[in-house]
Amino acid sequence: MMTPLEHLSRSGRLDKFFIDGEWREPRGTAKGVVVNPATEEVVTRFPLGNGGDVDAAVSAARRAFATWSRTKPEYRAGLLDRLQALLEARSELLAQCLTLEMGAAIGYARTAQVPLAIAHVKVARDVLTAFPFVEQRGRTAVTHEPVGVCALITPWNWPLYQITAKVAPALAAGCTVILKPSELSPLDALLFAEAIEEAGFPAGVFNLVNGDGPCVGGGLASHADVDMISITGSTRAGIAVAQAAAPTVKRIAQELGGKSPNVILPDADLDRAVSLGIAAALRNLGQSCSAPTRMIVPRVRLSEIESIAQRTADEIVVGDPLSEATTHGAIANRAQFDRIQTMIGVGVSEGAKLLTGGLGRPDGLDVGLYVKPTIFSDVRTGMRIAQEEVFGPVLCIIPYDTVDEAVTIANDTIYGLGAHVQGKDLDVAKYVASRIRAGQVHLNYPAWDPHAPFGGFKQSGNGREYGLEGMLEYLEVKSILGYF
């Protein structure tokens, strides 16, 4: 089997953009680099788009919208079916790609990053086929129509997953799109565009322009012919996009930062609650906006919880992402590696109790962006490590004395994306969940549900992704009185 780079190089698509149904040469000469986080070596260069590329992609999407927006749902569903099948056929190639460009352990890429991404395509197709685009209210018809041309900006931490979470429902709704993936993980987007092309989507319906945030991202956000922009990224990036988009009054959907709590109630099964909580916080090396990195625990059971946490952390295997034995690979990029090291140092200087991990690379890993999974205990909610998003494998254990205090601590953040609650008494867990200001709450580590809407309160953003609500983001509501 060819590697992702061999595949893209031989196809000639590594140095092109996908615009108006064809692979085009970029208008400019600027280049970005892909760095393998496991070796810190530059593995390839790729073009960065400019304003001309943005204009070409937006024009193509605008032309295509007139026809695509009028297609029957059954037609769009058939294309999504084909896209799903083609992504499944490419699943190993996609997994290898994610390991190369963002350092994900190959086992995690195969079992989470890729299949969960493909699930978003299936869900969009299923929502589309069941959705009533025209509803009757007396003699009035309430119709749902596609927003228009949508610019989609996706991050480097769950690159393929966030592409499908945006592109699939947008296309299902009848919108046309321009995708700008992160310049730090651009290769999987090229493989995705290949699948779009092979699936047979009409020219201009899907367009891909690689580039940086200020030029391509900012250009799309401010473009007068873009009707909506959806961004997943940092709160800082979301603010910049919203400011650029404001003069054209386009719709904005933002899935931004988080500092999610995990409230362990006094009656919880500690072995399960703590061990699975650490796994949830450190999945994808903590590079998840909804990672529950604040474990809020009963003070009277703190020492027992610390023992379980240390034992669980000892089972983590950090190393070569291509090794089947590795559970956690390398941090995705140098800037994030440095940020994590800085914040671990902050935790130590603030006086938090370092249970495990700490500064520097794990023993025996002298090259590569590897980080020690780090757990701090006896953290106070006002500490920087309890307030700022680290976006790495760093967990804070924060003790509480009463359940009311636990809820207060859970809400003591500018963010409100995800949350977890653990407890044997489900009625109490539900009550606590109802008091947490977050867009999605997990009770007792349930199975992932791709139909469950996902999005934030407060500075975690606005709008929702996944399932029915994910498609509704890309639809306008029109009332036609006297229709019936």
Side-chain angles (χ1 to χ4, degrees), residues 48-263:
L48 298 174
N50 62 21
D53 299 304
V54 169
D55 287 341
V58 173
S59 294
R62 176 59 62 196
R63 288 192 300 272
F65 179 73
T67 302
W68 177 251
S69 61
R70 309 293 294 180
T71 56
K72 292 185 178 299
E74 295 80 10
Y75 172 65
R76 301 198 296 275
L79 289 172
L80 289 169
D81 277 335
R82 289 203 284 276
L83 177 61
Q84 178 187 341
L86 289 164
L87 292 173
E88 288 171 346
R90 289 166 164 78
S91 60
E92 179 60 22
L93 188 65
L94 288 163
Q96 296 282 344
C97 182
L98 294 170
T99 295
L100 172 69
E101 66 183 347
M102 64 158 294
I106 189 63
Y108 193 72
R110 288 170 177 157
T111 60
Q113 288 269 4
V114 173
L116 298 186
I118 295 172
H120 285 309
V121 180
K122 181 182 186 303
V123 166
R125 182 260 183 211
D126 292 346
V127 169
L128 169 61
T129 56
F131 187 75
F133 283 89
V134 180
E135 299 176 84
Q136 182 174 355
R137 295 184 190 172
R139 295 191 59 208
T140 295
V142 178
T143 69
H144 293 82
E145 300 180 3
V147 167
V149 174
C150 300
L152 312 176
I153 299 176
T154 55
W156 50 261
N157 60 317
W158 285 84
L160 182 67
Y161 178 95
Q162 285 297 152
I163 288 173
T164 57
K166 295 183 189 297
V167 172
L171 296 182
C175 295
T176 55
V177 305
I178 305 99
L179 172 66
K180 191 214 86 68
S182 169
E183 64 271 30
L184 299 175
S185 54
L187 303 181
D188 63 286
L190 296 172
L191 297 175
F192 179 81
E194 284 187 342
I196 285 276
E197 180 184 31
E198 189 174 336
F201 284 84
V205 168
F206 171 89
N207 305 273
L208 167 66
V209 179
N210 273 314
D212 62 18
C215 182
V216 175
L220 289 167
S222 62
H223 206 291
D225 281 336
V226 170
D227 300 297
M228 173 180 172
I229 188 153
S230 175
I231 177 174
T232 296
S234 67
T235 298
R236 175 194 55 77
I239 291 169
V241 163
Q243 290 172 333
T248 51
V249 199
K250 56 173 58 68
R251 181 179 294 187
I252 305 168
Q254 301 166 310
E255 195 264 279
L256 308 175
K259 194 69 178 177
S260 299
N262 186 359
V263 178

Side-chain angles (χ1 to χ4, degrees), residues 106-455:
I106 189 63
Y108 193 72
R110 288 170 177 157
T111 60
Q113 288 269 4
V114 173
L116 298 186
I118 295 172
H120 285 309
V121 180
K122 181 182 186 303
V123 166
R125 182 260 183 211
D126 292 346
V127 169
L128 169 61
T129 56
F131 187 75
F133 283 89
V134 180
E135 299 176 84
Q136 182 174 355
R137 295 184 190 172
R139 295 191 59 208
T140 295
V142 178
T143 69
H144 293 82
E145 300 180 3
V147 167
V149 174
C150 300
L152 312 176
I153 299 176
T154 55
W156 50 261
N157 60 317
W158 285 84
L160 182 67
Y161 178 95
Q162 285 297 152
I163 288 173
T164 57
K166 295 183 189 297
V167 172
L171 296 182
C175 295
T176 55
V177 305
I178 305 99
L179 172 66
K180 191 214 86 68
S182 169
E183 64 271 30
L184 299 175
S185 54
L187 303 181
D188 63 286
L190 296 172
L191 297 175
F192 179 81
E194 284 187 342
I196 285 276
E197 180 184 31
E198 189 174 336
F201 284 84
V205 168
F206 171 89
N207 305 273
L208 167 66
V209 179
N210 273 314
D212 62 18
C215 182
V216 175
L220 289 167
S222 62
H223 206 291
D225 281 336
V226 170
D227 300 297
M228 173 180 172
I229 188 153
S230 175
I231 177 174
T232 296
S234 67
T235 298
R236 175 194 55 77
I239 291 169
V241 163
Q243 290 172 333
T248 51
V249 199
K250 56 173 58 68
R251 181 179 294 187
I252 305 168
Q254 301 166 310
E255 195 264 279
L256 308 175
K259 194 69 178 177
S260 299
N262 186 359
V263 178
I264 312 293
L265 294 172
D267 68 340
D269 176 346
L270 287 190
D271 278 327
R272 183 176 189 274
V274 175
S275 60
L276 292 183
I278 290 171
L282 304 189
R283 69 189 173 98
N284 204 40
L285 277 165
Q287 298 169 124
S288 299
C289 47
S290 61
T293 54
R294 292 184 299 139
M295 185 176 285
I296 303 167
V297 307
R299 191 182 303 275
V300 295
R301 306 189 72 180
L302 182 58
S303 61
E304 185 181 355
I305 287 165
E306 289 177 344
S307 296
I308 297 169
Q310 287 179 302
R311 185 171 68 245
T312 303
D314 288 343
E315 298 173 357
I316 294 172
V317 180
V318 177
D320 179 3
L322 289 174
S323 170
E324 302 281 353
T326 295
T327 60
H328 294 66
I331 295 299
N333 56 75
R334 166 58 71 172
Q336 193 56 36
F337 176 88
D338 292 342
R339 162 73 175 170
I340 294 165
Q341 294 297 318
T342 295
M343 291 306 295
I344 291 174
V346 167
V348 172
S349 68
E350 287 181 316
K353 180 180 179 181
L354 182 62
L355 282 185
T356 187
L359 291 167
R361 294 179 173 87
D363 292 342
L365 295 172
D366 299 325
V367 176
L369 303 178
Y370 297 104
V371 170
K372 297 175 185 176
T374 297
I375 301 176
F376 287 105
S377 186
D378 208 15
V379 174
R380 298 184 303 277
T381 188
M383 290 180 174
R384 283 182 62 192
I385 56 169
Q387 290 293 322
E388 297 180 24
E389 186 175 37
V390 177
F391 222 63
V394 179
L395 173 69
C396 296
I397 298 177
I398 307 172
Y400 68 84
D401 294 306
T402 67
V403 172
D404 283 343
E405 183 188 7
V407 172
T408 298
I409 293 170
N411 288 327
D412 183 20
T413 170
I414 61 172
Y415 300 112
L417 189 56
H420 290 246
V421 180
Q422 321 305 325
K424 292 178 181 176
D425 188 327
L426 191 57
D427 287 336
V428 174
K430 289 177 182 176
Y431 174 67
V432 171
S434 73
R435 296 174 64 192
I436 295 176
R437 298 277 295 165
Q440 190 177 85
V441 184
H442 297 232
L443 302 181
N444 295 317
Y445 306 115
W448 180 67
D449 180 2
H451 283 276
F454 179 74

